[in-house]
């Protein structure tokens, strides 16, 4: 396993952006899968900086969002696609080459099939960047998800809804379902970069490192992928 431990969140963010940028430098038509969450915000800031300084050419890069809330339209500020537009897609001029799952789709199964076909039509994912849920989820693949799952609809775990509650105003009903690339979709990426930062990820990271790959811990699936980089800061790596 390729585990890289860095001092702090700032270093993790710079390092993650450097990994993404070097992948793009090696293949300008890179197809990325990108996450929502607190963890990647610093990486997005760094990527936007590199773009503004002319240090990364994003003109042929394609981005697919990893997941989305069900029944939350893209125009809603709580949607994951809105988040990605705000933090990366719009400031980096990626709008024409950005695809995401439609939470407002009339038929989720049709939308999930469309998404798999759209990824395949781009030649598959070159690099999937992932955050890590406190319960070990990757994208919205909650514990118990099969490793060969493709893009699908999920019931969100209570811990996921709780962890995401801070994004919603008080009294707002947090979505109970999501749409997500499957673990199989993610494992089909040529390369994977998982980011974990902060004390809240230390227990699950220790668990992943000690465990055999099994659906009870979705992120453990990445141990079966030959080109996964685990990029952790010292707090997240404390129990490893
Ligand atoms: P976080 O979320 O980056 O906000 O910790 C990660 C996740 O739940 O996948």
């Amino acid at each position: 396993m390729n585990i890289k431990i860095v001092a702090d969140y700032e270093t993790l963010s710079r390092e993650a952006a450097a990994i993404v940028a070097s992948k793009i430098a090696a293949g300008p038509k890179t197809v990325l899968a990108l996450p929502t969450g607190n963890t990647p915000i610093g990486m997005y800031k760094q990527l936007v900086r590199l773009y503004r300084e002319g240090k990364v050419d994003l003109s042929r890069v394609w981005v697919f969002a990893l997941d989305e809330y069900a029944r939350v339209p893209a125009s809603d500020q709580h949607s994951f696609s809105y988040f990605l537009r705000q933090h990366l897609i719009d400031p980096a001029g990626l709008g024409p080459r950005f695809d995401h799952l439609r939470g407002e789709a009339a038929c989720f199964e049709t939308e999930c099939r469309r998404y798999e076909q759209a990824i395949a039509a781009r030649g598959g994912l070159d690099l999937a960047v992932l955050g890590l849920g406190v319960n070990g989820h990757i994208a919205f693949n909650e514990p118990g998800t099969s490793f060969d799952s493709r893009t699908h609809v999920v019931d969100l775990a209570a811990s996921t809804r709780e962890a995401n509650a801070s994004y919603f105003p008080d009294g707002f009903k947090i979505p109970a379902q999501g749409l997500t690339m499957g673990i199989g979709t993610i494992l089909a990426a040529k390369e994977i970069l998982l980011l974990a930062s902060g004390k809240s990820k230390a227990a699950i990271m220790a668990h992943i490192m000690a465990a055999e790959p099994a659906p009870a811990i979705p992120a453990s699936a990445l141990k079966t992928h030959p080109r996964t980089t685990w990029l952790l800061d010292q707090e997240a790596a404390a129990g490893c």
Side-chain angles (χ1 to χ4, degrees), residues 31-54:
V31 179
L32 298 171
L34 293 179
T36 299
N38 285 319
T39 313
I41 290 176
M43 174 186 74
Y44 293 144
K45 266 195 197 130
Q46 295 298 330
L47 279 172
V48 170
R49 179 184 59 79
L50 293 173
Y51 166 75
R52 290 193 173 138
E53 291 173 356

Side-chain angles (χ1 to χ4, degrees), residues 222-233:
L222 307 180
K223 293 172 94 172
T224 69
H225 191 289
R227 297 191 65 197
T228 296
T229 300
W230 304 77
L231 181 58
L232 319 177
D233 65 14

Side-chain angles (χ1 to χ4, degrees), residues 37-40 131-133 137 167 201:
N38 285 319
T39 313
L132 175 67
H137 75 207
Y167 291 101
K201 304 294 165 68

